Amino acid sequence: MRLKVESKKMSSVVENNFLTTKLSELVAWGRKNSLWPLPFGTACCAIEFMGAVDSVFDISRFGAELVRFSPRQADLLLVLGTINYKQAPVLKKVYEQMTEPKWVVAVGSCATCGGFYDNYSVLQGIDEVIPVDVYVPGCPPRPESILLAIVRLQEKICKEAVGEKPELYIYKPHSVRK
Amino acid sequence: MVKLIDIFKKNFQADILDSHEQQGNETIVVSPERLHDVLGFAKNDPETLLNALMDLCAVDYLGQGPRFEVVYHLYSTSKNHRLRIKTRVPEENPKVKTCVDLWKSADWFEREAWDMLGIVFEGHPNLKRLLLFDGFEGHPLRKDYKINRRQKIPEPLERP
Ligand code: SF4
């Protein structure tokens, strides 16, 4: 179909309605501003996440408010709490059920390194079973730390879209144990 | 009031290896061979009627004679008295007879003692791990279980 537009009108359409960018950047921009988190909360850190969602800290300011409890509908896995050996396969399965692309944030000492549970039952960091994008230190971390993790993850999503290497404090997935 | 210890001493004489009492808290120590008889007596004798098994646990005395101690905490709901029965089993052969036939509550208690300390309960209907997963190696509440020992991570369960 041929569009018949007056030349004056055409120029105003171009002026007001077009942006030029790379497709990958556009997609990354959309992704970073609409993260759908799945909270895998097993302990105290999950309460901090509830704090991050409430009206004081308000995670919606970062576009990551639509908390889902189905891995099929989420693209951001937040691991909040102590993960023990019995839960490790469950966590792995939840991660595998999420659709690509997906990101993982390990919140608190327990999820990043086992916390103070140096014992027979607790996994010494969730990166023993799934890859992690951002680690949040603290026991428990403040809700601001969780928000900061989301901002860092957004930076990472953008940087990876343009082929840049993310900065040092953002870790590449590693040590996935079969 | 008759002391529970005396009742048991009267009926089991030589099998009561030791006994002590403090502020009404009575304990007897019996040999593992006669344990089941003593428990059966404790439950059914009209004088004792210790019909509730409140707790069953085990203790690891690493480096001592018989290494493990199995402890039974009994309570009588009709007579309102309590008794603790203990027995010692050696490291090479940590075996006692099950008491699931006397108290049903012993089922999970015994599985827990097997799981965490590796006490074998002969005749138990389903002696498998209770708190830990199936592939776990060793018994973590034993004092010689290394604190930094790590297990193989179990595989995801398949859907039936
Ligand atoms: S890191 Fe601390 S606050 Fe968080 S789950 Fe572990 S023990 Fe609780």
Side-chain angles (χ1 to χ4, degrees), chain A residues 43-45 81-82 108-110 116-117 138-141:
Chain A
C44 1
C45 279
T82 324
S109 310
C110 284
F116 52 77
Y117 303 105
C139 174

Side-chain angles (χ1 to χ4, degrees), chain A residues 9-176:
Chain A
K9 206 177 166 193
M10 186 64 188
S11 72
S12 83
V13 167
V14 172
E15 242 167 53
N16 298 326
N17 292 296
F18 282 85
L19 267 172
T20 53
T21 180
K22 278 186 244 153
L23 181 63
S24 61
E25 281 177 49
L26 185 69
V27 169
W29 176 76
R31 279 174 181 164
K32 94 177 178 34
N33 290 306
S34 66
L35 290 164
W36 289 29
L38 166 78
F40 194 96
T42 54
C44 1
C45 279
I47 317 287
E48 298 301 318
F49 175 69
M50 293 172 205
V53 180
D54 76 7
S55 51
V56 176
F57 296 100
D58 196 14
I59 204 171
S60 16
R61 292 177 291 150
F62 304 91
E65 71 175 323
L66 218 54
V67 175
R68 297 282 97 178
F69 293 96
S70 161
R72 309 264 187 226
Q73 296 170 352
D75 57 2
L76 171 59
L77 181 62
L78 288 163
V79 184
L80 313 133
T82 324
I83 303 295
N84 59 29
Y85 279 94
K86 268 173 137 176
Q87 278 168 325
V90 179
L91 179 67
K92 192 173 175 192
K93 187 135 217 173
V94 166
Y95 176 77
E96 282 165 0
Q97 281 176 342
M98 290 167 66
T99 43
E100 298 274 359
K102 52 193 167 187
W103 299 278
V104 180
V105 176
V107 180
S109 310
C110 284
T112 56
C113 66
F116 52 77
Y117 303 105
D118 183 9
N119 64 13
Y120 62 89
S121 62
V122 174
L123 205 64
Q124 302 298 295
I126 57 164
D127 47 14
E128 291 194 29
V129 279
I130 55 174
V132 175
D133 296 281
V134 182
Y135 294 83
V136 182
C139 174
R142 295 267 314 156
E144 290 99 322
S145 316
I146 298 174
L147 299 181
L148 181 65
I150 286 172
V151 173
R152 295 281 184 252
L153 184 65
Q154 289 176 332
E155 286 170 12
K156 178 177 173 162
I157 293 169
C158 286
K159 284 191 174 165
E160 281 187 339
V162 294
E164 257 180 60
K165 252 179 108 176
E167 287 178 35
L168 259 183
Y169 51 74
I170 300 168
Y171 293 78
K172 288 295 260 184
H174 68 287
S175 76
V176 183

Side-chain angles (χ1 to χ4, degrees), chain A residues 72 85-86 88-90 92-93 96-97 117-124 128-129 177-178, chain B residues 116 130-133 136 140-141 145 147-159:
Chain A
R72 309 264 187 226
Y85 279 94
K86 268 173 137 176
V90 179
K92 192 173 175 192
K93 187 135 217 173
E96 282 165 0
Q97 281 176 342
Y117 303 105
D118 183 9
N119 64 13
Y120 62 89
S121 62
V122 174
L123 205 64
Q124 302 298 295
E128 291 194 29
V129 279
R177 201 187 280 174
K178 272 268 151 11
Chain B
M116 307 309 277
L130 177 69
L131 302 170
L132 302 167
F133 51 94
F136 198 96
L141 287 198
Y145 184 94
I147 190 162
N148 53 2
R149 175 170 171 193
R150 303 286 170 237
Q151 299 281 330
K152 200 172 158 284
I153 295 165
E155 283 300 304
L157 300 170
E158 284 314 314
R159 259 199 227 160

Side-chain angles (χ1 to χ4, degrees), chain B residues 75-141:
Chain B
Y75 176 63
S76 167
T77 50
S78 52
K79 297 196 176 286
N80 192 25
H81 56 203
R82 293 167 195 274
L83 178 71
R84 181 180 296 138
I85 298 180
K86 296 187 191 182
T87 188
R88 283 273 182 115
V89 284
E91 182 175 352
E92 319 77 59
N93 190 25
K95 256 187 202 169
V96 289
K97 223 170 135 187
T98 179
C99 63
V100 177
D101 50 334
L102 298 171
W103 296 280
K104 267 199 173 162
S105 59
D107 189 336
W108 280 17
F109 286 146
E110 289 183 353
R111 272 175 69 184
E112 187 189 2
W114 156 247
D115 198 0
M116 307 309 277
L117 276 142
I119 310 289
V120 182
F121 293 89
E122 273 180 311
H124 188 286
N126 185 26
L127 196 64
K128 58 174 193 179
R129 294 208 177 263
L130 177 69
L131 302 170
L132 302 167
F133 51 94
D134 277 339
F136 198 96
E137 280 168 21
H139 302 283
L141 287 198

